[in-house]
């Protein structure tokens, strides 16, 4: 049937085929491999095929001549990859079996499938490499016999059993024992999808195991293919490691999604997997960890029993195929000494779902082996088993790049499509241009035009889309094909040069998103140094194709492949596929057992290094060495050389943590010098600037590798997570964290990252005794919290920059969904921020071990003890969503809260709240939850959060007590019904309630007469409350108390102010002719009308008050008079409603306060007052009053004008401990800047928390501040700064509240504690909620005191 044959070398695994049989007649025999009734390969008697030691056999695959060439039909033959394993030769009558040496020619190859002339190939394989090891087929038995030239024979049994167990350890042919199958039940995390798999493990030799898996999961298999996502783990740990470090081969039908795992497809109807695992250094107890996923990555199955990845324990599960009569446990050999650097960073199950590395060539830098450059050898990248790693081939997701000895048609772009509908302008232009730009040159020029002609509008958009687009081109997701023209690579280089100039013009920005896009765009541009901009660049490949180095003509065949696949293609239409082709050719030239002339291989190695330079794919050492040699004597060159010397030591497997940290330090110094030279203009030549910039970026990529190794040595990636750290390890972890944030700061220009680095380094220098103390542990935790938060913020930047844009651009170009989905995650996980987060997590665990903390925090304790309800996850605490969708009692797991939510409006079914981040205990949200008797727990550890998320939909026990928090699954019955504290009427559309509406009186007779604090304090408290609200009344009283306290031990200050009484807003409405309009909408708010009508009335009311009602000039002048000399100062205009600061209804933070008001501007003053009035009608405020059954028309607002203070730090003090409810202890929280940092909860982090004993004023630190940011008034005097606060960075770690214990005890204990006791006794002997601040001169100021809720 095939008179004219071409051949491809294949590696085929026998178990991949249902049938393996013998055919032929006369004196010849063929072993035929059959799959799906199609003969796909054979070993013929006409071919003498050398075999390797128990591992591989080269076969030939048939195809018709011309198939796969231009214009021909697709091949009818199924191409398979695989390997024959455990093959031995039976010596027949000889007692011993003979195996083949792995050094035999053609014994082992990692080459892809190369086409060759059939006759030449047969000539090659007929070459007798070893006189004793040449095999020939003979007709000897029914099963098929392989014979040696010495007459000895071996049999391949019909059932697939191998002679002597396949390892030369036996003399007789032993049929395979009956397989033993073990079932593993599978489910997704939410248990909505379930399945199972049956697993069989057979031991073929001491180092080889055959694994079969049969998958049963109709919910996946009925719709799409399934894949096995797997890696290797040790005997005790569960850190995934790359299988390629342990086994000789992996299933050939898969891919390598990350540095720790493989993905293999299920075959035979999409439900079967089979492979023989042969351990390179012998089996030493390794286990196989796996997850099963759907092809679209939407469904991930794990071991249902373990609630984690499934584990195949070869030693426990294997049946020994070599006999013995019973199942035998496979013993593991002693572990060998490591021979190569550890694999890149490990990650647990959740981190194996989607993983992609942007710069694999840099991720393997730690494994580079130095070659002698005098012999023109480039630096190679090697895997742990010594095999060379080729990054371009590893990362390639495009069409297969084949080496060919004739020109192939490379014009197909079937994998892509072009749909510009619903795309933003830049993305639409990019897609439209791509349709007409078939080659890489045309695509580069298209991006160049769009970038360089951009006038600055939406530059971030342009940079982000360009980065994504060029990245997908570089890995083959977007096809580049020949365009029919002949343009040498210098045209590509010219386009890159112009783009680089444009990028540099905006690189001075401090915008983190823009910088992130730029840094990821630089490596996607080709180099434009002189050797690539000359008219005929990269000429070495022409000399190689013409025979340079091939003195005896042994390379004629590969030279033809080089000429047609690389040289001609590169010089007429270069593209990233040329780098892939060159790597494949280098694989072929350097494969074990080959004997290509060294001079020829060396020449190709040099060309490959040059080509990598053109594609900017060189490793950090290659790039730095070249630049340092070119620029010798400069500070940048000296710093680079210092780093390279340290790197040489750090690259050893057993490099110490100290050595790694020193290398990181020198790496940062080298980067710093490069950045300084680039920014100062010392490097003038633009091509040199590009190369130094890429060197600096490569250094950052290599920092990832070093930090990964540090993390491993520090146990940051161990499973279970390491908890017990010595003080020395804590110090080393802090140093590693510091250098990781140095690295991030240099790339992002983030001030917070710089401060984290400085604070971590300073804390690392503390004594071992301090780091092991409680205060030391708390300081470590504060740094860890800030680091995690900074890392999360940077990840958010990358998410916002790339995710939506990738999901817009990918489908428009026909990019595979998986490639689109993992793009952003690849950027994150390839970033130093990924390692920083792991180090921060390790420090959090170390801190908890030192302090005894739990990793979660009781913010509001449960008044009913343990509660049991189903867990429901929500993104935010949205009252409307909760009321409408939560119809059964449950515990909410909330991803994020801003600290200002109103718990009472959530409806009757919110029985408890678990918040996925830290929250001040005295924030508005915490106070409202406490008032509503809803227990609230803040989870401060990401791993705990993930565990709790897995409980969604199941009954959870929640215990919320100070120092005793428990969240766990339970079979206990649900606790009772809806919350007794919930309102009887929770929605406006509910049927009429029989509950009476509460009416609250207010005296509006002083509406046009603003009252100074002096006047209010002269009257009775009841009068002041009736005309201006309790807040104004108590503020006036505080001012009087402060003036009386100057000579007492409890001296404090209180700002002066003026109250604009109740009724002033109604007067303004009357003057504007809007009284009836106002009253009608208030009436609607108190009515039982549909929700949509209520919301419409509320919106109209809010807009009326904020936009149209203003206090009169008369009122304004009276306020100025009442403020006296303070009228020239900035002011706060605060709310003082008759429906806040009441017993049982604090309404903390429900109404607005307006900062930074210039009292010399009537417009600012009037607008601020209107905003305070309007806050009476926000959705939260209206819902809160409705929940409390307070009439909307009775709600009145007084605007309280007070002198603005400029605090060093603010505090909230409760004179009765809110968590323990002890009246013998007080509790204080403090933060730098304005009190908004504490009260709102908008700034992530924890404040300084102190317990203060009333009797002794003794201070116990509960936490140190980890905010890193604070609110201050915006004093920039711009139009936009009026009435505004702004967030700025703050240095909590070096503030005296953190570093000076004596001063802290004096201020917090003696002064603040004493003041709390004084105010409690003076204001009715009831516990007080006191808000105030500490000025820079040490003055304590109190701005508010009210009964503690």
């Amino acid at each position: 049937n095939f008179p004219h044959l071409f051949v491809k070398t294949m590696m085929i695994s026998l178990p991949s085929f249902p049938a393996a049989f013998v055919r032929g007649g006369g004196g010849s025999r063929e072993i035929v491999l059959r799959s799906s009734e199609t003969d796909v390969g054979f070993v013929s008697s006409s071919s003498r095929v050398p075999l390797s030691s128990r591992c591989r056999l080269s076969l030939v695959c048939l195809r018709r001549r011309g198939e796969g060439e231009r214009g021909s039909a697709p091949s009818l033959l199924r191409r398979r990859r695989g390997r024959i394993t455990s093959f031995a030769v039976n010596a027949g009558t000889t007692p011993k079996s003979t195996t083949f040496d792995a050094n035999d020619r053609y014994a082992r190859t990692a080459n892809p499938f190369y086409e060759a002339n059939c006759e030449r190939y047969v000539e090659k394989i007929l070459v007798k490499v070893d006189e004793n090891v040449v095999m020939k087929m003979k007709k000897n038995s029914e099963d098929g016999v392989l014979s040696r030239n010495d007459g000895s024979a071996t049999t391949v049994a019909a059932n697939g059993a191998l002679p002597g167990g396949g390892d030369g350890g036996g003399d007789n042919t032993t049929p395979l024992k009956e397989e033993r199958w073990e079932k593993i039940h599978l489910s997704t995390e939410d248990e909505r999808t379930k399945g199972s798999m049956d697993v069989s493990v057979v031991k073929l030799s001491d180092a080889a195991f055959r694994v079969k898996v049969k998958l049963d999961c109709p919910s996946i298999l009925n719709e799409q293919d399934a894949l096995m996502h797997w890696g290797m783990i040790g005997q005790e740990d569960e850190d995934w490691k790359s299988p390629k470090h342990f086994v000789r081969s992996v299933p050939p039908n898969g891919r390598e999604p990350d540095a720790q795992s493989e993905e293999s497809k299920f075959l035979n109807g999409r439900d079967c997997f089979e492979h023989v695992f042969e351990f390179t250094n012998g089996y030493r107890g390794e286990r196989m960890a796996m997850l099963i996923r759907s092809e679209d990555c939407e469904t991930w199955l794990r071991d249902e029993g373990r609630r984690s990845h499934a584990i195949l324990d070869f030693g426990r599960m294997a049946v020994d195929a070599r006999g013995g009569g019973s199942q035998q446990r496979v013993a593991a050999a002693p572990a060998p000494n490591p021979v190569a650097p550890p694999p890149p960073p490990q990650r647990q199950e959740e981190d194996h779902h989607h993983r992609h590395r942007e710069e694999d060539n840099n991720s393997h830098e730690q494994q580079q082996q130095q070659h002698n450059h005098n012999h023109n050898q480039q630096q190679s990248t090697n895997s742990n088993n010594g095999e060379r790693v080729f990054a371009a081939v590893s990362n390639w997701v495009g069409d297969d790049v084949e080496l060919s000895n004739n020109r192939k048609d490379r014009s197909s772009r079937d994998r892509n499509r072009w749909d510009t509908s619903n795309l933003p302008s830049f993305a639409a232009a990019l897609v439209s241009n791509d349709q007409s730009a078939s080659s890489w040159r045309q695509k580069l020029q298209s991006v160049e035009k769009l970038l360089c002609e951009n006038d600055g509008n939406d530059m971030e958009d342009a940079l982000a889309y360009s980065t994504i687009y060029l990245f997908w081109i570089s890995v083959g997701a977007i096809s580049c094909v020949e365009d029919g023209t002949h343009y040498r690579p210098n045209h590509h280089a010219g386009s890159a040069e112009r783009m680089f100039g444009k990028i540099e013009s905006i690189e001075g920005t401090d915008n983190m998103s823009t910088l992130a896009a730029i840094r990821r765009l630089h490596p996607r541009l080709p180099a434009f140094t002189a050797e690539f901009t000359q008219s005929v660049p990269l000429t070495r490949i022409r000399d190689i194709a013409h025979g340079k180095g091939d003195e005896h003509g042994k390379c004629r065949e590969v030279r033809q492949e080089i000429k047609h696949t690389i040289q001609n293609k590169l010089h007429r239409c270069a593209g990233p596929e040329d780098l892939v082709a060159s790597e494949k050719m280098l694989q072929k030239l350097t494969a074990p057992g080959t004997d290509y002339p060294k001079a020829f291989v060396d020449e190709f190695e040099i060309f490959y290094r040059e080509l990598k330079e053109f594609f900017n794919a060189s490793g950090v050492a290659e790039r730095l060495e070249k630049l340092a040699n070119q620029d010798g004597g400069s500070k940048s060159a000296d710093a680079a050389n210092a780093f390279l010397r340290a790197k040489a030591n750090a690259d050893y497997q057993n490099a110490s943590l100290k050595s790694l940290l020193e290398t990181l330090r020198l790496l940062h110094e080298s980067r710093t010098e490069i950045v300084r030279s680039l920014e100062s203009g010392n490097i003038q030549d633009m091509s040199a600037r590009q190369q130094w910039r890429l060197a600096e970026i490569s250094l950052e990529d290599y920092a990832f590798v070093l930090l990964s190794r540090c993390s491993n040595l520090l146990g940051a990636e161990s499973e279970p997570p390491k908890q017990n750290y010595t003080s020395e390890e804590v110090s080393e972890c802090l140093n590693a964290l510091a250098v990781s944030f140095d690295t991030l700061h240099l790339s992002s220009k983030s001030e917070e990252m710089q401060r984290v680095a400085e604070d971590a380094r300073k804390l690392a220098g503390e004594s071992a005794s301090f780091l092991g103390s409680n205060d030391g542990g708390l300081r470590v935790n504060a740094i860890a919290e800030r680091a995690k938060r900074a890392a999360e913020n940077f990840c958010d930047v990358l998410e916002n920059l790339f995710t939506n844009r990738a999901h817009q651009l990918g489908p428009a170009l026909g990019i595979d969904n998986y490639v689109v989905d993992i793009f952003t995650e690849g950027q994150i996980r390839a970033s130093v921020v990924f390692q920083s987060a792991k180090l921060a997590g390790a420090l959090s665990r170390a801190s908890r071990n030192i302090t005894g903390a739990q990793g979660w925090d009781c913010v509001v304790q449960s008044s009913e003890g343990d509660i049991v309800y189903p867990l429901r996850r929500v993104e935010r605490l949205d009252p409307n969503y909760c009321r409408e969708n939560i119809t059964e009692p449950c515990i909410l797991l909330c991803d994020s809260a801003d600290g200002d939510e109103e718990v009472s409006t959530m409806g009757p079914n919110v029985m408890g709240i678990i918040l996925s981040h830290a929250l001040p205990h005295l924030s508005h949200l915490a106070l409202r939850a406490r008032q509503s008797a809803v227990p609230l727990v803040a989870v401060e550890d990401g791993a705990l959060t993930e565990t709790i998320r897995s409980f969604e939909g199941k009954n959870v026990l929640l215990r919320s007590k100070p120092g005793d928090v428990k969240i766990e699954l339970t079979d206990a019955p649900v606790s009772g019904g809806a919350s007794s504290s919930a309102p009887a009427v929770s929605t406006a559309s509910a049927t009429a309630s029989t509950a009476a509406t509460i009416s609250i009186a207010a005296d509006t007779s002083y509406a046009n007469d603003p009252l100074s604090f002096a006047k209010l304090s002269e009257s009775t408290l009841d009068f002041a409350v009736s005309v201006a609200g309790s807040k104004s009344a108590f503020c006036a009283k505080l001012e009087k108390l402060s003036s009386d306290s100057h000579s007492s031990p409890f001296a404090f200050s209180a700002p002066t102010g003026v109250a604009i009484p109740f009724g002033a807003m109604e007067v303004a409405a009357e003057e504007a002719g809007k009284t009836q309009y106002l009253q009608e909408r208030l009436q609607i708010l108190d009515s039982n009308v549909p929700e949509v009508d209520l919301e419409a009335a509320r919106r109209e009311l809010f807009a009326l008050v904020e936009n149209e009602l203003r206090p009169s000039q008369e009122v304004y002048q009276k306020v100025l008079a009442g403020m006296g000399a303070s009228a020239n100062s900035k002011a706060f205009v605060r709310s003082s409603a008759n429906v806040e600061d009441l017993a049982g209804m604090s309404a903390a933070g429900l109404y607005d306060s307006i900062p930074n008001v210039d009292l010399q501007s009537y417009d600012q003053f009037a607008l601020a007052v209107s905003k305070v009035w309007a806050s009476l009608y926000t959705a939260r405020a209206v819902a809160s009053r409705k929940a409390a059954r307070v009439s909307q028309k009775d709600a009145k607002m007084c605007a309280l004008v007070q002198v603005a203070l400029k605090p060093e730090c603010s505090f909230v003090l409760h004179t009765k401990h809110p968590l323990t409810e002890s009246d013998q202890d007080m509790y204080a929280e403090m933060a730098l800047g304005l009190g908004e940092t504490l009260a709102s909860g908008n700034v992530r982090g924890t404040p300084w928390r102190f317990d203060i004993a009333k009797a002794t004023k003794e201070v116990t630190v509960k936490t140190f501040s980890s905010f890193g940011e604070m609110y201050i008034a915006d004093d920039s005097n711009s139009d936009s700064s009026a009435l505004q606060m702004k967030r700025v960075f703050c240095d909590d770690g070096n503030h005296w509240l953190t570093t000076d214990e004596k001063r802290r005890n004096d201020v917090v204990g003696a002064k603040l504690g004493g003041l709390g006791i004084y105010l409690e006794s003076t204001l009715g002997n009831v516990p007080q909620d006191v808000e105030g601040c500490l000025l820079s001169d040490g003055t304590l100021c109190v701005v508010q005191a009210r009964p503690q809720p």
Side-chain angles (χ1 to χ4, degrees), residues 24-40:
S28 67
R29 282 280 185 179
E30 298 170 349
I31 293 182
V32 179
L33 304 180
R34 169 163 289 182
S35 179
S36 302
E37 303 305 317
T38 302
D39 296 346
V40 298

mmCIF file of all heavy atoms in Angstrom, residues 24-40:
data_model
loop_
_atom_site.group_PDB
_atom_site.id
_atom_site.type_symbol
_atom_site.label_atom_id
_atom_site.label_comp_id
_atom_site.label_asym_id
_atom_site.label_seq_id
_atom_site.Cartn_x
_atom_site.Cartn_y
_atom_site.Cartn_z
ATOM 1 N N GLY A 24 3.608 -10.482 8.596
ATOM 2 C CA GLY A 24 4.705 -10.654 7.640
ATOM 3 C C GLY A 24 4.801 -12.077 7.172
ATOM 4 O O GLY A 24 4.142 -12.984 7.701
ATOM 5 N N GLY A 25 5.572 -12.300 6.181
ATOM 6 C CA GLY A 25 5.729 -13.647 5.630
ATOM 7 C C GLY A 25 7.164 -13.883 5.250
ATOM 8 O O GLY A 25 8.013 -12.996 5.286
ATOM 9 N N GLY A 26 7.410 -15.117 4.833
ATOM 10 C CA GLY A 26 8.772 -15.449 4.439
ATOM 11 C C GLY A 26 9.708 -15.358 5.617
ATOM 12 O O GLY A 26 9.404 -15.806 6.713
ATOM 13 N N GLY A 27 10.799 -14.755 5.414
ATOM 14 C CA GLY A 27 11.787 -14.674 6.480
ATOM 15 C C GLY A 27 11.734 -13.401 7.265
ATOM 16 O O GLY A 27 12.584 -13.158 8.101
ATOM 17 N N SER A 28 10.749 -12.511 6.978
ATOM 18 C CA SER A 28 10.713 -11.242 7.686
ATOM 19 C C SER A 28 9.505 -11.181 8.603
ATOM 20 O O SER A 28 8.499 -11.835 8.402
ATOM 21 C CB SER A 28 10.655 -10.082 6.689
ATOM 22 O OG SER A 28 9.419 -10.100 6.011
ATOM 23 N N ARG A 29 9.620 -10.371 9.593
ATOM 24 C CA ARG A 29 8.534 -10.153 10.552
ATOM 25 C C ARG A 29 8.452 -8.675 10.869
ATOM 26 O O ARG A 29 9.441 -7.955 10.842
ATOM 27 C CB ARG A 29 8.805 -10.905 11.861
ATOM 28 C CG ARG A 29 8.497 -12.383 11.773
ATOM 29 C CD ARG A 29 7.011 -12.608 11.915
ATOM 30 N NE ARG A 29 6.691 -14.010 11.958
ATOM 31 C CZ ARG A 29 5.461 -14.481 12.107
ATOM 32 N NH1 ARG A 29 4.450 -13.647 12.203
ATOM 33 N NH2 ARG A 29 5.226 -15.776 12.149
ATOM 34 N N GLU A 30 7.267 -8.232 11.222
ATOM 35 C CA GLU A 30 7.079 -6.846 11.650
ATOM 36 C C GLU A 30 6.216 -6.844 12.900
ATOM 37 O O GLU A 30 5.240 -7.585 12.969
ATOM 38 C CB GLU A 30 6.368 -6.018 10.564
ATOM 39 C CG GLU A 30 7.142 -5.919 9.286
ATOM 40 C CD GLU A 30 6.300 -5.300 8.187
ATOM 41 O OE1 GLU A 30 5.067 -5.160 8.381
ATOM 42 O OE2 GLU A 30 6.884 -4.955 7.166
ATOM 43 N N ILE A 31 6.606 -6.074 13.892
ATOM 44 C CA ILE A 31 5.712 -5.819 15.020
ATOM 45 C C ILE A 31 4.857 -4.622 14.635
ATOM 46 O O ILE A 31 5.378 -3.541 14.364
ATOM 47 C CB ILE A 31 6.479 -5.509 16.306
ATOM 48 C CG1 ILE A 31 7.248 -6.745 16.763
ATOM 49 C CG2 ILE A 31 5.515 -5.071 17.408
ATOM 50 C CD1 ILE A 31 7.989 -6.530 18.055
ATOM 51 N N VAL A 32 3.572 -4.834 14.590
ATOM 52 C CA VAL A 32 2.652 -3.771 14.170
ATOM 53 C C VAL A 32 1.952 -3.203 15.398
ATOM 54 O O VAL A 32 1.470 -3.951 16.240
ATOM 55 C CB VAL A 32 1.600 -4.307 13.179
ATOM 56 C CG1 VAL A 32 0.653 -3.190 12.771
ATOM 57 C CG2 VAL A 32 2.302 -4.876 11.961
ATOM 58 N N LEU A 33 1.915 -1.913 15.497
ATOM 59 C CA LEU A 33 1.195 -1.246 16.573
ATOM 60 C C LEU A 33 -0.113 -0.741 16.007
ATOM 61 O O LEU A 33 -0.131 -0.005 15.024
ATOM 62 C CB LEU A 33 2.022 -0.090 17.137
ATOM 63 C CG LEU A 33 3.414 -0.490 17.625
ATOM 64 C CD1 LEU A 33 4.140 0.722 18.152
ATOM 65 C CD2 LEU A 33 3.308 -1.554 18.696
ATOM 66 N N ARG A 34 -1.203 -1.138 16.626
ATOM 67 C CA ARG A 34 -2.507 -0.792 16.086
ATOM 68 C C ARG A 34 -3.281 0.040 17.101
ATOM 69 O O ARG A 34 -3.329 -0.275 18.270
ATOM 70 C CB ARG A 34 -3.284 -2.056 15.747
ATOM 71 C CG ARG A 34 -4.757 -1.810 15.436
ATOM 72 C CD ARG A 34 -5.389 -2.976 14.728
ATOM 73 N NE ARG A 34 -4.899 -3.075 13.362
ATOM 74 C CZ ARG A 34 -5.307 -3.992 12.494
ATOM 75 N NH1 ARG A 34 -6.173 -4.888 12.873
ATOM 76 N NH2 ARG A 34 -4.841 -3.998 11.283
ATOM 77 N N SER A 35 -3.901 1.110 16.653
ATOM 78 C CA SER A 35 -4.766 1.940 17.496
ATOM 79 C C SER A 35 -5.975 2.335 16.681
ATOM 80 O O SER A 35 -5.830 2.858 15.575
ATOM 81 C CB SER A 35 -4.020 3.179 17.977
ATOM 82 O OG SER A 35 -4.869 3.982 18.756
ATOM 83 N N SER A 36 -7.167 2.098 17.221
ATOM 84 C CA SER A 36 -8.418 2.411 16.522
ATOM 85 C C SER A 36 -8.429 1.789 15.127
ATOM 86 O O SER A 36 -8.800 2.420 14.138
ATOM 87 C CB SER A 36 -8.603 3.939 16.435
ATOM 88 O OG SER A 36 -8.609 4.503 17.706
ATOM 89 N N GLU A 37 -7.964 0.544 15.076
ATOM 90 C CA GLU A 37 -7.965 -0.213 13.822
ATOM 91 C C GLU A 37 -7.102 0.428 12.733
ATOM 92 O O GLU A 37 -7.264 0.145 11.563
ATOM 93 C CB GLU A 37 -9.413 -0.387 13.303
ATOM 94 C CG GLU A 37 -10.334 -1.074 14.297
ATOM 95 C CD GLU A 37 -9.768 -2.425 14.752
ATOM 96 O OE1 GLU A 37 -9.260 -3.181 13.919
ATOM 97 O OE2 GLU A 37 -9.845 -2.706 15.955
ATOM 98 N N THR A 38 -6.213 1.295 13.098
ATOM 99 C CA THR A 38 -5.308 1.912 12.125
ATOM 100 C C THR A 38 -3.875 1.518 12.462
ATOM 101 O O THR A 38 -3.424 1.740 13.584
ATOM 102 C CB THR A 38 -5.431 3.437 12.140
ATOM 103 O OG1 THR A 38 -6.786 3.798 11.866
ATOM 104 C CG2 THR A 38 -4.519 4.065 11.106
ATOM 105 N N ASP A 39 -3.185 0.923 11.515
ATOM 106 C CA ASP A 39 -1.792 0.581 11.743
ATOM 107 C C ASP A 39 -0.975 1.859 11.714
ATOM 108 O O ASP A 39 -0.948 2.565 10.708
ATOM 109 C CB ASP A 39 -1.287 -0.374 10.651
ATOM 110 C CG ASP A 39 -2.029 -1.699 10.688
ATOM 111 O OD1 ASP A 39 -2.708 -1.936 11.688
ATOM 112 O OD2 ASP A 39 -1.932 -2.465 9.711
ATOM 113 N N VAL A 40 -0.316 2.153 12.813
ATOM 114 C CA VAL A 40 0.371 3.436 12.889
ATOM 115 C C VAL A 40 1.884 3.322 12.948
ATOM 116 O O VAL A 40 2.569 4.331 12.924
ATOM 117 C CB VAL A 40 -0.115 4.244 14.107
ATOM 118 C CG1 VAL A 40 -1.578 4.533 13.981
ATOM 119 C CG2 VAL A 40 0.191 3.515 15.391
#
